[in-house]
Amino acid sequence: MTFGDIFALMSLILGSAGALWAGMTLSAIFFPDRALMMSKRFEHHPFKTFLLGLLFFAPVTFVGALLIGPAPPLGVTIFIAEIGVIVFGAGGFARFAARRIEEHGGATSEYDAIARGAGLLVLAQLMPLFGWLLMVPYVLIASFGAGCLGIVSRRIAIEAPAPPTLETP
């Protein structure tokens, strides 16, 4: 292994981490209602979200792997769509982390909290052993489950506006 191989591998890892951070942040910002719904799902039902993700993740990955040989464009398209759903669901995970950061007063704005939450999740996944063996599989599979629910769900969890008050003159 040459120095160029090591540099290429480190660039791939850091570039993927940066792209994941940007995707999580943008997903949470562009789809705030869906991200809030998915973040509540992560908070209240983390195990169910993981099992749902596992239920969908395994067959989709299997079909994509089967099609990568005979029909490479179709297999690659399935994997790209799968990664898109994962990043969409991970936006809800970033929103969940952002709410925790806001509770502790560590953010100046909602965007700042989302960016920090996504950054903390990405950095935790880069940690040797804990990140690679525990965080990455959980975040991938649970984000896929939350992303599937976020795409197909018609009901969006939005807080109701305050009722109008009647003022007497």
Side-chain angles (χ1 to χ4, degrees):
M1 184 174 276
T2 65
F3 183 72
D5 295 338
I6 294 171
F7 183 72
L9 182 63
M10 291 304 296
S11 298
L12 178 69
I13 291 171
L14 293 177
S16 298
L20 179 60
W21 172 80
M24 291 169 75
T25 304
L26 290 176
S27 173
I29 290 172
F30 286 160
F31 307 104
D33 298 334
R34 301 278 178 176
L36 182 62
M37 180 188 69
M38 291 183 288
S39 106
K40 288 183 180 180
R41 179 91 181 159
F42 279 119
E43 182 176 8
H44 299 297
H45 307 289
F47 190 67
K48 286 182 182 179
T49 306
F50 178 78
L51 288 179
L52 182 71
L54 193 60
L55 180 72
F56 291 135
F57 185 78
V60 170
T61 304
F62 183 71
V63 169
L66 283 178
L67 292 176
I68 203 84
L74 186 58
V76 170
T77 303
I78 288 173
F79 282 132
I80 289 173
E82 188 176 33
I83 290 170
V85 172
I86 289 169
V87 170
F88 179 66
F93 216 139
R95 184 67 189 110
F96 171 63
R99 284 195 310 151
R100 295 295 171 105
I101 290 171
E102 287 173 342
E103 287 174 6
H104 296 288
T108 57
S109 67
E110 183 179 0
Y111 169 74
D112 184 36
I114 291 172
R116 286 182 183 195
L120 286 174
L121 285 169
V122 169
L123 287 177
Q125 292 177 41
L126 291 176
M127 283 177 43
L129 297 182
F130 171 75
W132 301 338
L133 300 177
L134 294 175
M135 285 292 294
V136 169
Y138 178 77
V139 170
L140 278 176
I141 295 171
S143 294
F144 191 73
C148 289
L149 282 176
I151 290 172
V152 300
S153 178
R154 291 179 186 246
R155 189 183 73 203
I156 299 177
I158 303 174
E159 285 120 22
T165 57
L166 298 174
E167 295 181 22
T168 56

